[in-house]
Amino acid sequence: MNAIQNAPFNADQARFNMIEQQIRPWNVLNTAILDLLDSVPRDAFVPLGQQALAYTDTQLPLPCGQNMLEPKIEARMLQDLAVQPHETVLEVGTGSGYMAALLGRQAAKVVSLEIHPELVELAKGNLKREGIENVEVICADGSSYRHGDAPFDVIVLSGSVAEVPAFLLTQLKPTGRLMAIVGQSPMMRAHLVKCDAVGRSVTQAWDTVAPRLQGFAEPSRFVF
């Protein structure tokens, strides 16, 4: 093994490199978002034994066959959504709780839905250790569950869907925003839905690929 492989893991340096080499080049230049990413230790939300990979530009495997999104995707979503301190947020797809932690540092309250009980417990433990108390993690299918706090200011899907879910749009406030990665691999785009007095507008902001969220409908496939 070479000297680099033998070097001890330096979380602060790895986090700095992530921001400078991955996040900024992906047009995430909002200083508040960059400071947020620097303040929340991503290595505290990865499975044991993967701390050295926490800040790499790759999806990381989680229990139940799920994955953490690349840091640059989460950062870009946060920048586009521009969550404010007074707002309530719904996240679908908690995973290890990292995105929920970032949202919790921005918003007044976060409700995060996760379909896998094992990941619910993992995320709750991670959030508790980091002292993040304004995130409520619930074991539920985000495609059909409606929380009592609805409607929300912001809804974010931490994974991809075939189309923007109409059910979730009904849970947005009249001035709400929803972010979802939409499409079929290998062609997906981030969709930012904004609501205002005249209706909804959809911006297809940027290209990416993300794992599917479970429970959401897929388009019919015709066989000839």
Side-chain angles (χ1 to χ4, degrees):
M1 298 177 68
N2 59 36
I4 294 177
Q5 290 173 315
N6 283 323
F9 173 61
N10 185 325
D12 292 337
Q13 184 63 52
R15 192 157 49 249
F16 174 84
N17 292 342
M18 176 191 74
I19 292 170
E20 296 303 319
Q21 298 172 12
Q22 300 173 41
I23 308 302
R24 286 186 187 272
W26 238 51
N27 293 322
V28 180
L29 304 176
N30 184 303
T31 56
I33 299 299
L34 298 177
D35 289 345
L36 175 65
L37 295 169
D38 188 49
S39 68
V40 178
R42 196 169 195 265
D43 52 291
F45 290 87
V46 301
L48 290 176
Q50 296 194 46
Q51 279 69 29
L53 300 175
Y55 299 98
T56 57
D57 185 20
T58 186
Q59 295 176 15
L60 292 181
L62 295 172
C64 309
Q66 302 306 294
N67 294 276
M68 292 180 71
L69 297 177
E70 297 94 321
K72 65 187 181 186
I73 294 178
E74 294 166 319
R76 189 73 175 267
M77 295 171 91
L78 290 169
Q79 179 172 264
D80 289 355
L81 285 167
V83 178
Q84 301 301 306
H86 66 278
E87 292 183 319
T88 57
V89 178
L90 174 67
E91 180 195 21
V92 180
T94 313
S96 69
Y98 176 65
M99 185 64 160
L102 295 170
L103 292 164
R105 290 286 178 88
Q106 292 183 300
K109 180 179 179 180
V110 177
V111 175
S112 188
L113 308 181
E114 173 55 54
I115 199 169
H116 298 286
E118 182 178 350
L119 290 179
V120 170
E121 295 308 311
L122 175 65
K124 285 182 176 180
N126 290 339
L127 291 162
K128 183 177 180 179
R129 280 191 298 273
E130 291 305 309
I132 299 173
E133 300 178 347
N134 64 334
V135 175
E136 180 184 8
V137 182
I138 299 173
C139 188
D141 182 346
S143 69
S144 58
Y145 179 84
R146 187 179 184 93
H147 191 271
D149 285 350
F152 293 91
D153 298 289
V154 172
I155 298 177
V156 56
L157 282 68
S158 291
S160 69
V161 288
E163 57 188 11
V164 175
F167 172 70
L168 290 179
L169 290 175
T170 67
Q171 299 187 57
L172 275 180
K173 289 184 179 180
T175 57
R177 291 100 65 208
L178 179 147
M179 173 68 76
I181 297 171
V182 180
Q184 303 289 335
S185 182
M187 298 293 292
M188 298 182 185
R189 290 187 68 84
H191 285 49
L192 177 62
V193 180
K194 292 184 176 181
C195 303
D196 56 30
V198 297
R200 298 184 184 127
S201 63
V202 181
T203 302
Q204 296 186 25
W206 33 276
D207 296 325
T208 190
V209 176
R212 271 292 192 255
L213 286 171
Q214 295 184 7
F216 291 88
E218 294 291 333
S220 300
R221 296 183 181 274
F222 295 96
V223 178
F224 296 94

